[in-house]
Amino acid sequence: MDCKIPGFQYVSGERGSVSAGTWTTHAWLERDGLVVDITADQFSDECRSVIVETNSLLHSSFRDIQRMKSNYFEWTGDFTAVSRVYALVKNDIGEAWKAW
Protein backbone atom coordinates (compact mmCIF):
# COMPACT_ATOMS: atom_id res chain seq x y z
CA MET A 1 0.00 0.00 0.00
CA ASP A 2 2.25 2.79 1.27
CA CYS A 3 5.25 1.16 -0.41
CA LYS A 4 3.18 0.27 -3.48
CA ILE A 5 3.45 -3.43 -2.61
CA PRO A 6 -0.06 -4.91 -2.83
CA GLY A 7 -1.05 -8.53 -2.45
CA PHE A 8 0.28 -9.53 0.95
CA GLN A 9 -1.66 -12.17 2.86
CA TYR A 10 -2.18 -12.43 6.60
CA VAL A 11 -0.92 -15.91 7.50
CA SER A 12 -1.36 -17.71 10.82
CA GLY A 13 -0.47 -21.13 12.13
CA GLU A 14 0.16 -23.16 15.23
CA ARG A 15 2.83 -25.46 16.56
CA GLY A 16 3.63 -27.48 19.63
CA SER A 17 1.34 -29.59 21.76
CA VAL A 18 -1.41 -28.61 24.18
CA SER A 19 -0.74 -31.65 26.38
CA ALA A 20 2.99 -30.85 26.56
CA GLY A 21 2.33 -27.18 27.28
CA THR A 22 4.22 -26.09 24.14
CA TRP A 23 1.27 -25.12 21.93
CA THR A 24 1.36 -21.61 20.46
CA THR A 25 -0.04 -19.64 17.56
CA HIS A 26 1.62 -17.00 15.44
CA ALA A 27 0.81 -14.69 12.52
CA TRP A 28 2.87 -12.94 9.85
CA LEU A 29 2.55 -11.52 6.34
CA GLU A 30 3.49 -13.26 3.08
CA ARG A 31 3.56 -12.52 -0.59
CA ASP A 32 4.85 -14.90 -3.27
CA GLY A 33 6.98 -16.76 -0.72
CA LEU A 34 8.41 -13.63 0.95
CA VAL A 35 7.80 -13.78 4.72
CA VAL A 36 7.53 -10.50 6.66
CA ASP A 37 7.38 -11.00 10.42
CA ILE A 38 7.89 -8.14 12.88
CA THR A 39 7.40 -10.20 16.05
CA ALA A 40 9.64 -13.22 15.48
CA ASP A 41 11.72 -12.72 18.62
CA GLN A 42 8.95 -13.98 20.87
CA PHE A 43 10.16 -17.51 20.13
CA SER A 44 13.21 -19.01 21.84
CA ASP A 45 14.37 -20.62 18.59
CA GLU A 46 14.61 -17.24 16.81
CA CYS A 47 16.86 -14.36 17.90
CA ARG A 48 15.87 -11.87 15.19
CA SER A 49 13.07 -9.40 15.92
CA VAL A 50 12.16 -8.88 12.28
CA ILE A 51 12.30 -11.44 9.49
CA VAL A 52 12.03 -10.48 5.83
CA GLU A 53 13.07 -13.49 3.78
CA THR A 54 11.98 -16.51 1.79
CA ASN A 55 12.28 -20.06 3.11
CA SER A 56 12.05 -19.11 6.78
CA LEU A 57 12.85 -22.05 9.04
CA LEU A 58 10.76 -20.55 11.86
CA HIS A 59 7.66 -20.19 9.70
CA SER A 60 7.97 -23.63 8.16
CA SER A 61 7.62 -25.07 11.68
CA PHE A 62 3.96 -24.01 11.91
CA ARG A 63 1.04 -26.20 10.82
CA ASP A 64 -2.68 -25.70 10.21
CA ILE A 65 -1.82 -22.63 8.17
CA GLN A 66 -4.65 -20.17 7.52
CA ARG A 67 -4.37 -17.45 4.87
CA MET A 68 -6.51 -14.40 4.27
CA LYS A 69 -6.29 -11.08 2.48
CA SER A 70 -4.48 -8.37 4.38
CA ASN A 71 -4.78 -4.64 3.95
CA TYR A 72 -3.43 -2.22 6.56
CA PHE A 73 -5.76 0.54 5.38
CA GLU A 74 -8.89 -1.60 5.77
CA TRP A 75 -8.18 -2.52 9.40
CA THR A 76 -10.70 -1.09 11.86
CA GLY A 77 -8.87 -1.71 15.16
CA ASP A 78 -6.78 0.63 17.28
CA PHE A 79 -4.09 2.13 15.05
CA THR A 80 -1.78 3.48 17.76
CA ALA A 81 0.64 0.55 18.06
CA VAL A 82 0.13 -0.66 14.49
CA SER A 83 0.96 2.76 13.03
CA ARG A 84 4.13 3.00 15.08
CA VAL A 85 5.37 -0.44 14.02
CA TYR A 86 4.29 0.10 10.41
CA ALA A 87 6.34 3.29 10.21
CA LEU A 88 9.40 1.48 11.56
CA VAL A 89 9.34 -1.41 9.09
CA LYS A 90 7.82 -0.03 5.88
CA ASN A 91 11.17 1.16 4.55
CA ASP A 92 12.79 -2.22 5.29
CA ILE A 93 9.96 -4.04 3.55
CA GLY A 94 10.26 -1.80 0.50
CA GLU A 95 14.02 -2.28 0.28
CA ALA A 96 13.74 -6.07 0.73
CA TRP A 97 11.07 -6.25 -1.95
CA LYS A 98 13.23 -4.30 -4.42
CA ALA A 99 16.19 -6.64 -3.76
CA TRP A 100 14.04 -9.75 -4.03
Side-chain angles (χ1 to χ4, degrees):
M1 296 3 121
D2 218 15
C3 294
K4 309 289 188 256
I5 307 172
F8 273 89
Q9 290 184 311
Y10 171 89
V11 182
S12 64
E14 60 183 60
R15 70 179 189 172
S17 163
V18 173
S19 61
T22 59
W23 181 82
T24 188
T25 63
H26 189 53
W28 59 92
L29 297 175
E30 272 189 34
R31 179 177 179 214
D32 299 329
L34 179 68
V35 172
V36 178
D37 187 340
I38 62 171
T39 61
D41 60 347
Q42 66 186 290
F43 299 99
S44 61
D45 54 334
E46 180 57 60
C47 61
R48 297 172 293 173
S49 298
V50 176
I51 294 175
V52 180
E53 67 183 14
T54 57
N55 302 316
S56 167
L57 186 60
L58 173 67
H59 298 89
S60 66
S61 70
F62 287 87
R63 65 183 189 286
D64 297 328
I65 300 295
Q66 305 276 326
R67 297 176 182 276
M68 62 185 78
K69 290 182 181 180
S70 176
N71 186 333
Y72 169 77
F73 295 106
E74 292 177 3
W75 193 48
T76 59
D78 178 10
F79 279 96
T80 307
V82 173
S83 294
R84 217 173 307 138
V85 171
Y86 180 72
L88 291 171
V89 300
K90 76 177 185 177
N91 186 56
D92 290 341
I93 293 169
E95 290 303 314
W97 185 254
K98 288 177 198 171
W100 189 61

